[in-house]
Amino acid sequence: MHHNSVLLHEAINALNINPSGIYIDGTFGLGGHSHYILSKLTSHGRLIAMDRDWSAVNIGEVLTKQDGRFSIIHAPFSKMLRCIYNMNLVGLINGILLDLGVCESQLTDSSRGFSFMRDGPLDMRMDNSVGQSAYEWIAKASQKDIEWVLRTFGEEKLSKKIARSIVLKREVYPIDRTSALSEIISDTVLYYNNRYNRRKHPATRSFLAIRIYINEELVEIMKILQDVFKLLAPGGRLVVISFNSLEDRIVKKFINQYSRVFAYPPKIPLTHTQLLHKYSGTMKFKNLGKIKPTVLEIKKNIRARSAILRYAEKLIYM
Ligand SMILES: C[S@@+](CC[C@H](N)C(=O)[O-])C[C@H]1O[C@@H](n2cnc3c(N)ncnc32)[C@H](O)[C@@H]1O
């Protein structure tokens, strides 16, 4: 069940686990990363997991009964600060892991409506107990809005043409199945671009864009990043695995912005005042860089192909 976790060992190494520390897995999924974190903790350690998808939380609930160090919360990770505040743990977290996007299990379950490869109701919500489904949005959105979503979140060059086709077709029949949407998009892409690279399904970009929009995935990332300083203990680590350039750009920009180094000569001891100066203002993180999957991992798990892990450490002097 856990073998498909992307960058599993790399992510846990990046967290630099303190065996009696407190960790958060903000994207529990099937629990692959969580299980590995637990294996590194002693009985004094603690792992709090979150997921906005009930099917993931149900899996986590089973683990809570088996392991007293583990607990799980059903909530989007943008609500992490509030949850951790309620547990009186703000500023005490030793590491936060975010493995973004959706799990293979969500994609392959046709009833969730995420995949253009499997026919199912056009839903795409990670938490299907709240918000509007992709079907509801597509039924009502203006052509301009559809175009904007496809262009902004999918970087789809044919966004205007696809949006037009969707709006024309929805007058004829309800676009309530993934197969119906996939067919409209594919027909449009192949009609306007007959040299289309067929190694990638023509609906790939549009489905990704609609999923990001429906689940407010980029907003979620921006919100949690604003709270990580408060959540983390000094020396605590933030580890984020992204799967597309939009997500990665946000994480990269954020870490870079808060880890700018002042130009002090290297290897010269600094006074207390100099240290405070060096680490004041925007200097809140030590940027520990990025890690990409090995060729072997990509061979074993094609989903790893676009993954990029970035990590940073909250500074002790801030
Ligand atoms: C890539 S999977 C995580 C896989 C997990 N690390 C493992 O090893 O099994 C992403 C999970 O994060 C959840 N998720 C995505 N965005 C979320 C958010 N903003 N808040 C909470 N959960 C989220 C999804 O529902 C999904 O279960």
Side-chain angles (χ1 to χ4, degrees):
M1 182 156 90
H2 317 126
H3 63 278
N4 266 346
S5 300
V6 172
L7 291 166
L8 179 62
H9 297 273
E10 293 84 348
I12 303 327
N13 284 341
L15 281 171
N16 192 27
I17 304 259
N18 161 4
S20 51
I22 308 172
Y23 290 86
I24 301 179
D25 178 353
T27 49
F28 179 76
L30 294 179
H33 287 102
S34 275
H35 277 276
Y36 201 20
I37 295 172
L38 285 168
S39 76
K40 302 273 178 192
L41 297 176
T42 62
S43 56
H44 301 292
R46 190 165 169 187
L47 174 64
I48 302 154
M50 300 181 77
D51 205 296
R52 68 200 302 199
D53 188 327
W54 274 113
S55 55
V57 174
N58 291 338
I59 296 172
E61 300 274 358
V62 177
L63 185 56
T64 57
K65 297 196 177 80
Q66 297 160 353
D67 193 327
R69 302 168 301 169
F70 177 76
S71 56
I72 188 156
I73 304 165
H74 175 252
F77 54 62
S78 59
K79 301 261 162 65
M80 195 181 287
L81 183 61
R82 193 195 293 173
C83 300
I84 296 304
Y85 176 82
N86 290 338
M87 298 166 112
N88 275 328
L89 294 174
V90 173
L92 299 178
I93 306 300
N94 298 100
I96 298 173
L97 171 67
L98 300 173
D99 176 16
L100 301 171
V102 285
C103 287
E104 192 60 29
S105 57
Q106 289 165 315
L107 286 173
T108 51
D109 179 352
S110 60
S111 73
R112 305 299 303 273
F114 282 112
S115 174
F116 45 79
M117 308 284 277
R118 290 175 178 78
D119 181 39
L122 186 61
D123 193 318
M124 293 202 200
R125 284 171 297 173
M126 291 185 204
D127 181 355
N128 50 17
S129 61
V130 293
Q132 63 177 346
S133 66
Y135 159 62
E136 288 165 327
W137 177 67
I138 287 233
K140 287 196 225 107
S142 70
Q143 187 180 320
K144 275 259 163 274
D145 280 355
I146 299 175
E147 180 190 337
W148 179 80
V149 167
L150 302 184
R151 194 181 56 243
T152 311
F153 303 126
E155 296 172 326
E156 172 57 71
K157 290 196 181 75
L158 289 168
S159 56
K160 195 170 182 171
K161 309 268 192 235
I162 297 171
R164 178 91 192 115
S165 301
I166 289 174
V167 168
L168 286 175
K169 291 282 183 188
R170 78 181 178 193
E171 297 301 320
V172 186
Y173 55 86
I175 307 172
D176 56 359
R177 311 283 303 175
T178 50
S179 55
L181 180 62
S182 165
E183 199 179 305
I184 295 167
I185 298 169
S186 303
D187 288 351
T188 312
V189 171
L190 298 177
Y191 179 80
Y192 287 104
N193 182 1
N194 52 16
R195 287 191 302 172
Y196 185 79
N197 159 19
R198 281 165 196 268
R199 271 182 304 176
K200 200 168 175 179
H201 191 287
T204 308
R205 286 175 178 280
S206 300
F207 265 64
L208 175 66
I210 297 169
R211 194 198 86 199
I212 291 177
Y213 174 74
I214 290 293
N215 294 287
E216 298 190 343
E217 292 179 36
L218 303 184
V219 178
E220 279 288 310
I221 303 170
M222 289 184 231
K223 281 189 181 163
I224 179 62
L225 290 178
Q226 292 312 316
D227 291 339
V228 292
F229 299 125
K230 288 188 199 132
L231 286 159
L232 287 173
R237 295 261 176 114
L238 169 71
V239 177
V240 187
I241 306 173
S242 306
F243 288 89
N244 60 63
S245 56
L246 295 175
E247 291 172 345
D248 184 54
R249 223 173 283 155
I250 296 171
V251 179
K252 178 179 163 185
K253 204 170 148 207
F254 173 79
I255 294 180
N256 282 345
Q257 180 183 350
Y258 290 104
S259 56
R260 225 162 274 142
V261 186
F262 289 91
Y264 281 104
K267 293 188 183 158
I268 291 180
L270 301 179
T271 65
H272 184 68
T273 319
Q274 283 171 324
L275 273 173
L276 282 180
H277 178 226
K278 179 173 175 180
Y279 295 130
S280 68
T282 57
M283 184 75 181
K284 294 184 175 181
F285 267 140
K286 182 173 177 189
N287 186 348
L288 298 169
K290 63 178 177 190
I291 302 174
K292 288 188 178 175
T294 59
V295 176
L296 189 67
E297 176 168 6
I298 296 170
K299 225 174 177 177
K300 282 192 197 153
N301 177 10
I302 192 68
R303 208 180 89 79
R305 184 182 42 185
S306 51
I308 175 158
L309 178 155
R310 291 190 188 270
Y311 62 130
E313 184 173 297
K314 178 172 160 176
L315 293 169
I316 295 169
Y317 298 96
M318 271 181 40

